[in-house]
Amino acid sequence: MAEEGERKAALETIQADGTDGNCVTFVLHDEDHTLGNSLRYMVMKNPDVEFCGYCITHPSESKINFRIQTRGAIPAVEPFRKGLNDLMGVCQHVLNTFERSMKEYRAQREEEMQ
Amino acid sequence: MAAKRGTDEMRDRVVLGEFGVRNVHTTDFPGNYPGYEDAWDQRRFEEAFRVEVIREEEGALEFDMVGIDAAIANAFRRILLAEVPTMAVEKVFVYNNTSIVQDEILAHRLGLIPIRADPRLFEYRNQGDEEGTEIDTLQFQLKIKCSRNPQAAKESSDPNELYFNHKVYSKHMTWVPLGNQTDLFPDADFRPVHDDILIALLRPGQEIDVLMHCVKGIGESWVLGQRKKCKDHAKFSPVATASYRLLPDITLLQPIEDEAAEMLQKCFSPGVIEIQNIKGKKVARVANARLDTFSREVFRHEGLKNLVRLARVRNHYIFSVESTGILPPDVLVSEAIKILMGKCQRFLNELDSVPME
């Protein structure tokens, strides 16, 4: 992908003037419910988050508005980053567990065949 | 105690009522239930999470994922359907087509044929690249001509006897290596997954001579960097289907005996309810709720509908993945999970590269 000029950012933020970073809307390009809903779930599990939601602005456009509002003085980027890291952690664990289970299942079937 | 049972039910069961479904949404977020620890804890998740493979057959896999939420299970399902890449015929160069099948119909049919080629060995084709290089394109040729069989009996009307090559099957597609592909893939045998897909019918004198370019694509694609949704095509979907259902949970609220027990057994799929003989009386018992398809027949019987609670376990997913044959189903599931990780990584990289105000 070309870096300059051609590449549009995949992530933008929108923040109302006068606020101090507690409530931010992230615009995620080229995404849909697949990442939106799973990321929303992970961010909602964070006790510092007062509000988290996402919406698809228009079905013909491939972007989602992902809004996070934190309680207290925490900048909204932090739960966003934590949510992404947590989701990575979940996926990694699911992958390991799934592959282990497949190995065990196949080993067990081999034993039964013999 | 009853209150706690009620909240437990709200938290982990989706209840199927007579006219509607209750407790559909996930509510176990921090702060909703006093006394419950709902904040995300990776260690607690890892302790409770398990995967059990139930059955693996030729091209189909059934496995259980327990301890995960709907949002993430659905993300895996969506990725399996639409975002795991495969190779499929995209461009068809028609040199000669005198068959009865129109060019565009023939090209459409060729595109839908699953091609046995591991997509991880190839790259995506660059935008606007018409020619295709050896790392992103597979070339196939279909060249077939129908002729009359001079030895056929005079009165015969069986096309199999009268003509040669009158049925064009997918086995007639041959791989034409591009560039150095013979060196890159010395043992590879690229061909359609199934040999017996009927593509077209011919009669003597008709012939088909086409060259096909296979590229890597996904079921639905966002052309990155262009802010424009560009659906590749459903032909790139690697699964015949991928679906999940929640584990059924049937509870008998009161003991059910004799004729009521027999009627109850008929209301559910075979094997779900078993009748035991206790002290001479026939008593119904839930043997295996997993087999039920929840037709809700029990709600049509006045005497039975208040004695049974139909519910589903909220975090127990029974996945069923059927592959089209390009990649084995367990490889598809692994790839889907890696693709979700890739999406997260992409945004983490964005966060780190652009200074956020």
Side-chain angles (χ1 to χ4, degrees):
Chain A
M1 258 189 331
E3 275 294 313
E4 44 321 274
E6 296 231 341
R7 175 172 163 254
K8 310 257 169 53
L11 176 65
E12 288 170 14
T13 50
I14 301 173
Q15 195 177 311
D17 294 328
T19 58
D20 47 354
N22 286 354
C23 34
V24 175
T25 298
F26 300 92
V27 182
L28 278 65
H29 289 280
D30 305 329
E31 288 301 334
D32 58 359
H33 299 289
T34 308
L35 186 67
N37 199 21
S38 38
L39 188 58
R40 178 201 61 92
Y41 172 78
M42 299 309 295
V43 174
M44 281 288 285
K45 283 292 215 179
N46 188 339
D48 294 327
V49 167
E50 190 177 50
F51 174 90
C52 174
Y54 80 99
C55 74
I56 299 195
T57 48
H58 191 278
S60 306
E61 281 186 341
S62 66
K63 62 181 185 176
I64 59 174
N65 280 1
F66 194 92
R67 183 167 178 82
I68 298 181
Q69 245 170 261
T70 57
R71 61 174 102 253
I74 304 170
V77 195
E78 277 187 31
F80 185 64
R81 192 191 294 267
K82 181 169 188 301
L84 284 167
N85 281 321
D86 287 345
L87 189 54
M88 291 267 291
V90 168
C91 290
Q92 189 62 58
H93 181 71
V94 171
L95 185 61
N96 296 343
T97 317
F98 176 73
E99 288 184 341
R100 200 175 52 233
S101 298
M102 281 304 303
K103 259 207 267 250
E104 282 171 14
Y105 174 80
R106 286 185 172 142
Q108 196 185 39
R109 259 222 318 222
E110 291 254 333
E111 272 178 31
E112 281 167 18
M113 304 261 268
Q114 278 149 17
Chain B
M1 221 19 245
K4 182 161 193 307
R5 246 206 324 274
T7 48
D8 278 343
E9 180 183 283
M10 205 153 49
R11 283 168 65 92
D12 31 65
R13 294 287 185 272
V14 178
V15 180
L16 277 67
E18 188 179 348
F19 297 114
V21 184
R22 297 199 309 271
N23 301 343
V24 173
H25 298 287
T26 311
T27 49
D28 54 351
F29 295 113
N32 282 352
Y33 296 99
Y36 282 88
E37 264 303 308
D38 286 330
W40 179 255
D41 185 348
Q42 180 76 11
R43 198 185 42 84
R44 247 201 338 258
F45 165 70
E46 290 187 6
E47 277 169 23
F49 181 72
R50 62 191 164 91
V51 172
E52 275 167 31
V53 180
I54 305 295
R55 195 175 52 229
E56 185 188 15
E57 285 161 1
E58 184 69 48
L61 178 67
E62 184 180 330
F63 66 97
D64 281 15
M65 247 198 235
V66 187
I68 202 170
D69 184 68
I72 305 176
N74 195 35
F76 293 144
R77 184 194 64 90
R78 286 174 66 96
I79 295 177
L80 275 169
L81 282 172
E83 299 197 40
V84 179
T86 58
M87 303 285 289
V89 173
E90 175 82 6
K91 271 206 168 43
V92 174
F93 299 94
V94 180
Y95 292 108
N96 192 0
N97 176 21
T98 43
S99 74
I100 208 80
V101 179
Q102 297 90 344
D103 289 348
E104 60 270 20
I105 307 295
L106 182 65
H108 183 238
R109 289 176 70 82
L110 291 169
L112 291 171
I113 297 172
I115 305 284
R116 187 194 300 281
D118 190 338
R120 295 170 290 184
L121 301 171
F122 295 90
E123 306 279 329
Y124 287 100
R125 199 185 262 200
N126 288 323
Q127 274 287 301
D129 182 2
E130 291 290 323
E131 286 288 313
T133 63
E134 56 245 2
I135 50 163
D136 59 36
T137 308
L138 269 183
Q139 220 176 42
F140 285 88
Q141 186 183 47
L142 178 63
K143 197 176 159 87
I144 190 164
K145 192 176 161 73
C146 177
S147 51
R148 205 179 289 279
N149 179 7
Q151 266 104 33
K154 272 237 193 82
E155 296 80 29
S156 161
S157 59
D158 176 12
N160 290 326
E161 239 188 71
L162 285 171
Y163 315 121
F164 290 134
N165 287 343
H166 69 110
K167 283 190 180 164
V168 181
Y169 286 106
S170 48
K171 67 174 185 255
H172 295 126
M173 284 168 62
T174 51
W175 175 44
V176 176
L178 267 178
N180 63 346
Q181 278 179 346
T182 29
D183 306 316
L184 279 177
F185 312 112
D187 313 314
D189 169 30
F190 294 125
R191 58 188 166 78
V193 174
H194 306 281
D195 279 338
D196 52 356
I197 299 177
L198 183 62
I199 301 175
L201 289 176
L202 301 174
R203 284 295 179 265
Q206 294 178 347
E207 78 173 280
I208 293 180
D209 181 5
V210 298
L211 194 66
M212 294 163 266
H213 278 192
C214 261
V215 295
K216 181 170 167 175
I218 64 180
E220 220 179 85
S221 98
W222 312 109
V223 176
L224 295 177
Q226 271 205 15
R227 288 194 195 177
K228 198 169 62 120
K229 177 173 169 180
C230 154
K231 247 187 153 113
D232 267 357
H233 199 275
K235 73 190 175 196
F236 290 109
S237 180
V239 292
T241 194
S243 65
Y244 65 73
R245 61 186 178 110
L246 272 68
L247 181 75
D249 175 42
I250 302 172
T251 329
L252 300 179
L253 300 172
Q254 289 170 27
I256 300 182
E257 297 161 357
D258 299 328
E259 286 112 27
E262 301 264 322
M263 202 149 69
L264 189 74
Q265 190 178 46
K266 288 206 191 68
C267 287
F268 291 97
S269 307
V272 175
I273 301 277
E274 95 184 335
I275 310 245
Q276 286 175 332
N277 220 317
I278 299 185
K279 296 186 197 153
K281 275 206 291 200
K282 287 193 267 196
V283 180
R285 192 185 77 88
V286 179
N288 189 358
R290 190 195 169 97
L291 298 169
D292 196 32
T293 48
F294 272 172
S295 62
R296 291 175 176 183
E297 174 70 21
V298 70
F299 289 125
R300 299 180 65 222
H301 300 269
E302 280 301 321
L304 290 179
K305 68 180 181 187
N306 296 321
L307 306 179
V308 184
R309 187 194 75 165
L310 296 183
R312 289 194 188 267
V313 182
R314 191 194 287 289
N315 62 356
H316 186 135
Y317 293 89
I318 302 172
F319 272 84
S320 165
V321 180
E322 292 171 29
S323 159
T324 46
I326 301 174
L327 288 171
D330 56 305
V331 173
L332 288 175
V333 177
S334 304
E335 288 296 310
I337 303 175
K338 289 180 197 158
I339 287 175
L340 188 58
M341 289 204 286
K343 284 179 190 270
C344 296
Q345 192 59 50
R346 179 164 150 247
F347 287 105
L348 281 169
N349 293 344
E350 281 283 330
L351 272 181
D352 291 332
S353 65
V354 176
M356 311 291 296
E357 294 129 54

